[in-house]
């Protein structure tokens, strides 16, 4: 049986309506049809081919990126695509480019922090791409600590200008995508200095390059920071370095929606609440969580299909060997990742609702849910990106030696994705922010400040501190309320334990430093509870399609019980469950893998990814892996000649014993 038959046979095993699951994964029928149409449009366009990326040198690779970005923009205009359609098109092109930062950071920064007048001036230019922008915040010496940025913007009342300056080497802007070679403008974050007084970090729109010849303007030194991790991957992006030597800009180019500097040099706050800026942050992190589900699902799709195609050992009397996917060790590593992809998808959907809710509340000057929403999105960004980066690497290992080939798609997918653990907030730093919010919530219990949103379970703290699971048999772990209570009790008790230990320190900050590792673990427990609870909430909705809800219930249980198994020490040490109940959970988890097995290939088919988007020979839809791997090998430039360059110069003398002064 060749690869094609393997996967056809696997698809016939499915116990649910795959077409309906595609709609569940997409979020709605409209979203499914949009993604399906745009992904096929990209896949059918030869300009967007991806199979040659890993063999291009840096200059060719970057030129290739420019060509694709320009062609994508041309197609957007020709087809009159909407903003959402254009976003989808850039996503399916699947190559990091300067346009990601232009649309994803530069435009939102102006929309979020610019006045109406500033938006009217700058956004039409950005929307037509008559200017190309980036987001210049991170510096050589400071990333996570934004308040430590060193670039200065000093107001000169004589000329009504700001003087942007890089006073030290470490104040050089470092990392902004699109900055190195393409961007004409940047939103630059700098310390506002007026009459010697430091007013903290603010945003400024600064032109970097001439719109006539693209050369850097006077006082600006700008370039690319060099090669990054992986073949191709983020090396398609011109991450840049930027320094300013007393560069002058008009006062009107400070982003002034929240605070302004008057002509007289007076610093004033507008009547727009500063909390509005956090709404943009919630939006950005929601997109990162949604992207995590996409990246993880791509890796899982490749590993699942290849595990069904690959056969090793177990042959009897000359019969077929065993499919790798049938080994329990493969299932116990792969199926939790399959469940995680769905879990992250659904929590991403919920975060989109949360962003809409927070935005509406902010407009009505209701800031009550903002701290919780900020902490929640920070924690989920950290949790999902860490799990996804680790999950992609696990999928590579699940594919054995062939997973290490660039043609598997997994090395490049990992290299492209792993920076998500650092950008928009280092994952450990974000968890520490979450833990501060949790400690504050615990400290306010009983004061009348009722916990809201994802911390609402803490209002039942007394009950949760007395909780002990009443699980008697393995099947009890399939009950959503049983799982949820265990996760709530674990998170609550870990938070209380941290709060009690913190109270022993006379200096709270010293306590936070000393207990940082424990606080991170408590934050992880809280965030895992959020994901589990949102998966359970999703299952309470009306989900159409034969067997769709049933298999999602299985995946929900797999996700929750895998976490319980992985963090068994937490659940037992906090007294939420006993070792026997932990064993029953592990037993039930093994049973669930058997229920996932016949549906595995169909579950990854539901992602509806084209072969172009997956970019993997191992993950091909038709399963025709081995002939295509063999065919791909001969395309490598090293095989252009039978005898390699350098052979006669270096190797032949060795073979002919012509090396002089050899010492053996």
């Amino acid at each position: 049986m060749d690869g094609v038959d393997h996967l056809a046979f696997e698809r016939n095993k499915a116990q649910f309506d795959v077409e309906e699951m595609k709609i569940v994964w997409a979020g709605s029928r409209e979203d499914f049809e949009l993604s399906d149409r745009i992904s096929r449009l990209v896949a059918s366009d030869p300009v967007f081919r991806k199979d040659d990326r890993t063999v291009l040198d840096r200059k060719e690779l970057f030129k290739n990126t420019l060509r694709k970005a320009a062609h994508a923009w041309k197609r957007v205009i020709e087809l009159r695509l909407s903003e959402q359609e254009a976003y989808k098109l850039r996503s399916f092109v699947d190559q990091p480019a300067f346009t990601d930062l232009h649309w994803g950071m530069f435009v939102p920064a102006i929309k979020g922090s610019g006045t109406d007048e500033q938006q009217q001036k700058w956004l039409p230019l950005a929307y037509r791409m008559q200017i190309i922008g980036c987001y210049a915040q991170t510096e050589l010496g400071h990333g996570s600590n934004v308040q430590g940025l060193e670039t200065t913007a000093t107001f000169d009342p004589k000329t009504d200008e700001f003087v942007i300056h890089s006073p030290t080497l470490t104040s050089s802007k470092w990392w902004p995508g699109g900055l190195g070679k393409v961007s004409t403008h940047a939103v630059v974050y700098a310390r506002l200095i007026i009459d010697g007084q430091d007013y903290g970090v603010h945003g400024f729109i600064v032109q970097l390059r001439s719109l006539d010849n693209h050369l850097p303007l006077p006082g600006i030194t700008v370039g690319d920071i060099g090669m990054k991790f992986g073949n191709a991957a983020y090396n398609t992006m011109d991450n840049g370095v930027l320094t300013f030597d007393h560069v002058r800009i008009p006062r009107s180019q400070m982003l002034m929606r929240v605070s302004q500097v008057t002509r007289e040099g007076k610093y004033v706050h507008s009547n727009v609440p500063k909390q509005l800026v956090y709404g943009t942050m919630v939006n950005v992190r929601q997109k990162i969580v949604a992207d995590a589900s996409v990246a993880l699902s791509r890796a899982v799709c490749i590993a699942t299909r290849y595990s069904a195609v690959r056969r090793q050992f177990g042959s009897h009397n000359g019969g077929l060997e065993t499919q790798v996917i049938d080994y329990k060790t493969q299932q116990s590593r792969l199926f939790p990742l399959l469940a995680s992809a769905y879990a992250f998808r659904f929590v991403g959907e919920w975060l989109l609702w949360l962003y809409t809710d927070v935005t509406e509340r902010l407009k009505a000057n209701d800031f009550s849910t903002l701290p919780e929403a900020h902490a929640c999105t920070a924690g989920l960004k950290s949790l999902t990106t860490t799990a996804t980066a680790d999950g992609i690497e696990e999928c590579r290992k699940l594919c054995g030696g062939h997973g290490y080939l660039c043609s598997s798609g997994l090395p490049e997918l990992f290299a492209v994705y792993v920076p998500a653990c650092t950008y928009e907030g280092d994952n450990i730093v974000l968890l520490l922010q979450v833990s501060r919010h949790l400690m504050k919530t615990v400290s306010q219990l009983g004061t009348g400040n009722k916990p809201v949103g994802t911390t609402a379970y803490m209002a039942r703290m007394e009950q949760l501190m007395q909780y002990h699971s009443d699980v008697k048999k393995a099947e009890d772990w399939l009950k959503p309320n049983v799982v949820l209570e265990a996760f709530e009790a674990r998170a609550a008790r870990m938070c209380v334990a941290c709060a009690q230990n913190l109270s022993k320190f006379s200096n709270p900050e010293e306590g936070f430093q000393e207990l940082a590792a424990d606080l991170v673990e408590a934050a992880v427990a809280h965030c895992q509870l959020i994901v589990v609870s949102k998966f359970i909430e999703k299952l309470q909705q009306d989900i159409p399609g034969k067997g769709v809800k049933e298999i999602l219930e299985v995946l929900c249980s797999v996700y929750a019980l895998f976490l319980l198994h992985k963090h068994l020490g937490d659940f037992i040490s906090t007294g939420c469950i006993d070792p026997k109940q932990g064993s029953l959970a592990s037993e039930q988890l093994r049973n669930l893998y058997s229920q996932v097995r016949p549906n595995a290939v169909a579950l990854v088919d539901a992602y509806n990814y084209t072969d172009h988007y997956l970019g993997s020979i191992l993950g091909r839809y038709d399963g025709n892996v081995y002939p295509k791997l063999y065919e791909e090998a001969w395309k490598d430039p090293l095989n252009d000649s039978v005898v390699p360059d350098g052979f006669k110069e270096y190797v032949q003398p060795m073979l002919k014993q012509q090396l002089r002064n050899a010492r053996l």
Side-chain angles (χ1 to χ4, degrees), residues 61-104:
L61 185 66
F62 188 64
K63 188 174 181 181
N64 177 270
T65 305
L66 301 184
R67 183 168 66 106
K68 286 182 180 176
H71 186 64
W73 181 239
K74 180 170 173 256
R75 298 302 284 148
V76 167
I77 294 169
E78 287 173 348
L79 299 171
R80 298 184 178 182
L81 299 185
S82 67
E83 193 172 332
Q84 186 185 12
E85 288 171 325
Y87 171 76
K88 285 284 185 188
L89 187 142
R90 289 192 298 273
S91 299
F92 286 123
V93 169
D94 190 37
Q95 188 154 314
F98 63 91
T99 46
D100 300 348
L101 282 300
H102 176 82
W103 294 106

Side-chain angles (χ1 to χ4, degrees), residues 164 177 300 587:
I164 312 294
V300 167
E587 178 188 331

Side-chain angles (χ1 to χ4, degrees), residues 22-245:
K22 287 179 180 179
I23 293 166
V24 171
W25 174 262
S28 69
R29 187 172 295 278
E30 292 75 20
D31 286 337
F32 165 72
E33 290 173 352
L34 171 66
S35 293
D36 187 61
R37 175 167 51 85
I38 299 294
S39 67
R40 294 181 192 284
L41 174 74
V42 171
S44 63
D45 193 324
V47 175
F48 295 132
R49 65 173 289 200
K50 295 160 52 175
D51 57 336
D52 60 344
R53 278 198 306 218
T54 56
V55 297
L56 299 177
D57 67 31
R58 181 78 197 283
K59 285 187 175 180
E60 289 175 326
L61 185 66
F62 188 64
K63 188 174 181 181
N64 177 270
T65 305
L66 301 184
R67 183 168 66 106
K68 286 182 180 176
H71 186 64
W73 181 239
K74 180 170 173 256
R75 298 302 284 148
V76 167
I77 294 169
E78 287 173 348
L79 299 171
R80 298 184 178 182
L81 299 185
S82 67
E83 193 172 332
Q84 186 185 12
E85 288 171 325
Y87 171 76
K88 285 284 185 188
L89 187 142
R90 289 192 298 273
S91 299
F92 286 123
V93 169
D94 190 37
Q95 188 154 314
F98 63 91
T99 46
D100 300 348
L101 282 300
H102 176 82
W103 294 106
M105 297 297 290
F106 180 72
V107 169
I110 295 172
K111 285 171 76 173
S113 301
T115 62
D116 289 345
E117 293 78 13
Q118 288 174 322
Q119 292 185 45
Q120 286 163 14
K121 176 180 178 180
W122 296 101
L123 289 180
L125 296 171
Y127 284 144
R128 292 193 295 267
M129 296 204 77
Q130 290 175 294
I131 61 172
I132 296 169
C134 64
Y135 187 85
Q137 178 175 291
T138 299
E139 295 178 353
L140 187 57
H142 289 89
S144 297
N145 181 16
V146 176
Q147 296 312 311
L149 294 180
E150 298 176 83
T151 303
T152 56
T154 305
F155 182 62
D156 183 350
K158 294 177 185 173
T159 59
D160 196 26
E161 293 172 317
F162 289 109
V163 181
I164 312 294
H165 186 59
S166 306
T168 62
L169 177 70
T170 50
S171 69
S172 306
K173 294 299 178 184
W174 191 274
W175 275 116
L179 170 64
K181 293 294 172 184
V182 178
S183 293
T184 62
H185 290 68
V187 171
V188 175
Y189 287 85
R191 313 193 72 79
L192 173 60
I193 311 292
I194 305 174
D195 198 21
Q197 186 173 345
D198 187 336
Y199 287 87
V201 175
H202 292 69
F204 301 83
I205 299 174
V206 183
Q207 184 172 346
L208 307 176
R209 293 177 168 98
S210 164
L211 294 177
D212 294 323
N213 58 17
H214 204 61
L215 292 175
L217 296 181
I220 286 171
T221 302
V222 62
D224 187 271
I225 61 171
M227 287 288 286
K228 290 142 309 214
F229 183 61
N231 286 52
Y234 250 94
N235 292 302
T236 59
M237 179 75 80
D238 55 327
N239 297 91
V241 53
L242 168 68
T243 62
F244 299 98
D245 184 4

Side-chain angles (χ1 to χ4, degrees), residues 262-280:
T262 66
R263 175 66 186 88
E264 297 72 34
K266 207 170 175 185
Y267 182 75
V268 293
H269 289 288
S270 70
N271 55 7
V272 175
K274 63 180 180 181
Q275 291 93 334
L276 274 177
V277 178
Y278 288 108
T280 304

